[in-house]
Amino acid sequence: MGSTTIDSAHSLFRVIETGDPALAADVVHADFHNREAVSSPAACAIPGPAGVLASSAWMRSAFTDLCFPVLDTGVDDERGQVFVQVRMQGRHTGPFVLFRDGTLERVMPPTGRELDYEQIHVLTVRDGKVIRHEAVRDDMTMLGQLGTFPPTLPLIARLAGWKLTGRDRRAAAAVSTRAAEAAQGAQGTGAAQ
């Protein structure tokens, strides 16, 4: 594996940051599978570039100025894997909607807080394109930075208000639509092949 493999891995994060369909077509394999898609809108589980573009739309709907500076990479030539250590950075300006197997699990209303924490991603690369993704994230740090863990009475009241008014379901529908539209946009560029 050479620098092209590492470049493909780095470029996958650029797709998440930008939602660029042409870049997705260049670096995402048609058989791409995201093991982490169980907590995202249904469109994020679509194989290939379309699913990556849906994931990008989902993440960018919750976090402005989203970026993933790469801290380190490692390569396992035998398995065709690249290990990428990144920082997830951005500002929580939209509802962060989490799903469980396609069903709304919870919504974190926007807090306006900055997010900056480390993650490790394991990417499998075949023929110069990323074909599989899985992640090890420190979600407790993320929730702490967003001010949602440990939960406080004002937060619990805010979450209850979102649920009682149906705002959580509307946010889930909106982000699901946005992700599906991003996946559809992949077809116009050949990214959904």
Side-chain angles (χ1 to χ4, degrees), residues 88-135:
M88 180 179 167
Q89 300 172 331
R91 181 178 294 278
H92 184 209
T93 56
F96 187 37
V97 183
L98 298 172
F99 299 80
R100 181 164 308 272
D101 298 322
T103 303
L104 173 61
E105 182 176 28
R106 71 178 173 271
V107 175
M108 287 182 269
T111 62
R113 291 184 175 213
E114 293 286 332
L115 186 68
D116 184 358
Y117 76 107
E118 288 186 26
Q119 303 175 339
I120 296 175
H121 297 263
V122 181
L123 307 174
T124 304
V125 179
R126 184 189 314 154
D127 303 324
K129 293 189 176 195
V130 180
I131 193 165
R132 182 170 168 79
H133 168 261
E134 49 193 303

Side-chain angles (χ1 to χ4, degrees), residues 11-100:
S11 294
L12 179 71
F13 294 99
R14 191 79 186 122
V15 173
I16 298 295
E17 294 169 351
T18 65
D20 182 342
L23 182 58
D26 286 344
V27 301
V28 179
H29 196 281
D31 295 329
F32 176 85
H33 171 73
N34 180 9
R35 192 186 79 148
E36 311 307 320
V38 297
S39 63
S40 53
C44 300
I46 297 171
V52 174
L53 292 169
S55 294
S56 171
W58 168 59
M59 293 296 294
R60 290 182 299 115
S61 73
F63 302 103
T64 54
D65 302 323
L66 183 66
C67 63
F68 293 89
V70 175
L71 303 176
D72 199 7
T73 56
V75 177
D76 181 340
D77 288 326
E78 262 183 55
R79 294 185 178 158
Q81 292 180 322
V82 180
F83 302 88
V84 185
Q85 179 185 10
V86 299
R87 295 197 73 82
M88 180 179 167
Q89 300 172 331
R91 181 178 294 278
H92 184 209
T93 56
F96 187 37
V97 183
L98 298 172
F99 299 80
R100 181 164 308 272

Side-chain angles (χ1 to χ4, degrees), residues 123-192:
L123 307 174
T124 304
V125 179
R126 184 189 314 154
D127 303 324
K129 293 189 176 195
V130 180
I131 193 165
R132 182 170 168 79
H133 168 261
E134 49 193 303
V136 178
R137 299 180 310 261
D138 181 2
D139 290 344
M140 296 307 271
T141 294
M142 177 187 74
L143 295 172
Q145 288 181 3
L146 296 179
T148 60
F149 186 83
T152 61
L153 287 177
L155 173 66
I156 292 168
R158 189 170 184 214
L159 292 173
W162 274 60
K163 190 166 196 68
L164 289 171
T165 62
R167 197 167 179 189
D168 63 340
R169 291 182 302 282
R170 290 190 301 277
V175 75
S176 292
T177 298
R178 186 172 176 179
E181 288 170 351
Q184 283 287 332
Q187 293 176 1
T189 64

